[in-house]
Amino acid sequence: MPRFFTMKMREGVDAPDERNQIAKFVAENNCIGIGDPDAIRGSGIFLNEIQIGDIVVLRSSGSPLALLEITSDAYAYKSKNKYPYFDNWMVYVR
């Protein structure tokens, strides 16, 4: 039975604030991510507790952005400059 989680896209000076950039990234890469686990509160949940088959509601600016089923374990992410505004913002994705 899947478990349900909610995840807020981090916003601010060092993060992509525009919902369209976030939506495009999620749609094109079929993934969600998290920044440096040593600096991000809740990273243990993303890296260790969320499991394949769980459902995540992704929020941006307090509004739902996407409903996602987790299909992989967390892995290190490198955009190779395809999404430069995410390079230092997402360290691990699922």
Side-chain angles (χ1 to χ4, degrees), residues 5-75:
F5 294 86
T6 183
M7 185 172 167
K8 184 177 188 292
M9 297 299 287
R10 187 176 69 179
E11 298 167 348
V13 175
D14 296 328
D17 291 326
E18 296 183 29
R19 288 173 58 97
N20 62 345
Q21 289 179 334
I22 295 167
K24 181 179 177 182
F25 176 86
V26 170
E28 289 182 3
N29 292 280
N30 297 314
C31 67
I32 55 174
I34 196 161
D36 181 359
D38 293 331
I40 304 296
R41 185 174 156 246
S43 62
I45 293 170
F46 182 83
L47 295 171
N48 303 313
E49 292 184 31
I50 294 176
Q51 300 173 5
I52 294 172
D54 287 344
I55 305 296
V56 175
V57 175
L58 184 63
R59 296 181 298 128
S60 175
S61 302
S63 300
L65 179 64
L67 182 64
L68 307 151
E69 179 180 3
I70 300 300
T71 59
S72 75
D73 290 324
Y75 59 93

Side-chain angles (χ1 to χ4, degrees), residues 14 16 25 77 79-89:
D14 296 328
F25 176 86
Y77 174 75
S79 79
K80 299 178 184 162
N81 293 320
K82 182 176 179 184
Y83 295 93
Y85 42 86
F86 283 100
D87 283 344
N88 294 320
W89 187 68

